[in-house]
């Protein structure tokens, strides 16, 4: 079972686990890499970069990794933040003269998850700080995982030295789910929420909505 207090303290959502993540052709590699990282953080793929469109499961996998790591070893220091939060905290630290406190908070963790790293573009100070944080963690085999809505090479104005760091590890994409995977996701959601739905309705939703797991769930809830 997920250690909810530890997960929440780390910024994780305890609801997102590997057990309720539906694996399909579109996310097999990303899922396998995430599993490997959860089993051996800092050893398997470091860094791990997951990229793909909105609502395809990147954030679910990230939280599942964090939750699994804490189940295996509750003493691990895990931190999940969005890129926006990282930027906001960094700006606040600079303004309030608490740079050291900020550095300590991020450089003493065992596993760091940064979601939506594409928002780091155009923020030179944040890129600089993230670069040094990455080096500090990677240098002592601490795990770094980032997500993006596109391949790191396609992130505009991303510093070349950061891109080269991302390429040290594994870059795995999550593409659009096929019909079978969308159907499996809907069936899993029905089971989770104890909905009784006719298979033809599930097939209709899976055929109509093709781009986003959140939209699939939203349609299910409306019905």
């Amino acid at each position: 079972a997920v250690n909810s207090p530890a997960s929440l303290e780390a910024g994780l959502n305890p609801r997102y686990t590997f057990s309720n993540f539906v694996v399909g052709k579109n996310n097999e590699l990303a899922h396998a890499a995430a599993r490997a990282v959860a089993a051996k953080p800092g050893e398997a793929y470091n860094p791990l970069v997951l990229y793909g469109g909105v609502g395809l499961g990147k954030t679910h996998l990230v939280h599942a990794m964090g939750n699994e790591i804490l189940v295996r070893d509750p003493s691990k220091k895990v931190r999940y933040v969005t890129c926006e939060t990282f930027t906001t905290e960094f700006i606040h630290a600079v303004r309030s003269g608490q740079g050291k406190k900020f550095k300590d908070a991020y450089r003493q963790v065992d596993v760091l998850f940064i979601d939506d790293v594409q928002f780091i573009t155009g923020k030179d100070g944040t890129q600089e700080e993230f670069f040094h944080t990455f080096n500090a963690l990677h240098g002592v085999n601490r795990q770094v995982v980032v997500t993006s809505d596109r391949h790191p090479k396609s992130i505009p104005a991303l510093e070349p030295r950061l891109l080269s760091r991302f390429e040290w590890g594994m870059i795995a994409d999550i593409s659009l789910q096929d019909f079978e995977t969308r159907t499996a996701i809907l069936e899993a959601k029905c089971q989770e929420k104890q909905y009784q739905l006719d298979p033809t309705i599930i097939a209709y939703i899976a055929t109509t909505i093709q781009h986003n797991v959140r939209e699939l769930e939203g349609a299910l809830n409306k019905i």
Side-chain angles (χ1 to χ4, degrees):
V2 173
N3 183 344
S4 294
S7 292
L8 293 169
E9 193 180 330
L12 298 164
N13 185 335
R15 283 180 51 242
Y16 291 133
T17 63
F18 285 121
S19 61
N20 60 19
F21 183 83
V22 177
V23 184
K25 288 177 185 172
N26 67 304
N27 58 28
E28 274 176 333
L29 177 63
H31 175 262
R35 280 281 203 184
V37 166
K40 291 185 174 180
E43 295 179 42
Y45 303 110
N46 197 13
L48 174 60
V49 180
L50 303 177
Y51 75 94
V54 173
L56 297 182
K58 300 185 303 295
T59 299
H60 187 141
L61 270 184
V62 164
H63 287 273
M65 269 184 274
N67 287 322
E68 178 77 11
I69 288 165
L70 287 171
V71 167
R72 286 170 177 264
D73 185 352
S75 69
K76 288 277 189 200
K77 291 181 186 171
V78 176
R79 191 177 183 108
Y80 165 87
V81 288
T82 62
C83 185
E84 197 175 349
T85 299
F86 183 85
T87 304
T88 303
E89 287 183 10
F90 174 62
I91 292 168
H92 176 73
V94 171
R95 282 182 183 162
S96 59
Q98 294 183 313
K100 185 182 183 307
K101 187 178 175 184
F102 174 87
K103 286 179 172 63
D104 289 347
Y106 280 95
R107 296 182 192 183
Q108 291 176 4
V109 298
D110 296 304
V111 185
L112 176 62
F113 297 104
I114 305 265
D115 217 349
D116 290 323
V117 79
Q118 72 271 6
F119 291 126
I120 207 167
T121 58
K123 303 180 178 97
D124 294 343
T126 307
Q127 288 203 48
E128 173 89 13
E129 183 54 37
F130 180 61
F131 176 77
H132 293 302
T133 297
F134 178 98
N135 284 345
L137 293 173
H138 194 276
V140 289
N141 296 322
R142 306 283 174 83
Q143 180 70 48
V144 180
V145 179
V146 300
T147 75
S148 172
D149 65 354
R150 66 203 82 174
H151 192 287
K153 281 182 177 171
S154 302
I155 299 175
L158 182 69
E159 285 190 12
R161 60 181 181 169
L162 259 184
L163 175 60
S164 76
R165 293 298 186 277
F166 292 159
E167 290 175 333
W168 282 356
M170 159 80 82
I171 299 177
D173 77 310
I174 300 180
S175 54
L176 292 176
Q177 294 93 353
D178 56 20
F179 172 78
E180 289 78 10
T181 307
R182 294 195 299 274
T183 303
I185 288 169
L186 287 167
E187 287 171 348
K189 293 288 180 191
C190 282
Q191 197 172 1
E192 181 189 320
K193 300 184 179 194
Q194 298 182 322
Y195 293 159
Q196 299 290 327
L197 268 193
D198 190 283
T200 54
I201 295 173
I202 289 176
Y204 175 77
I205 300 170
T207 305
T208 309
I209 297 171
Q210 300 183 6
H211 297 101
N212 193 314
V213 176
R214 287 172 208 158
E215 283 181 34
L216 280 178
E217 192 169 359
L220 198 61
N221 290 336
K222 280 178 190 170
I223 289 169

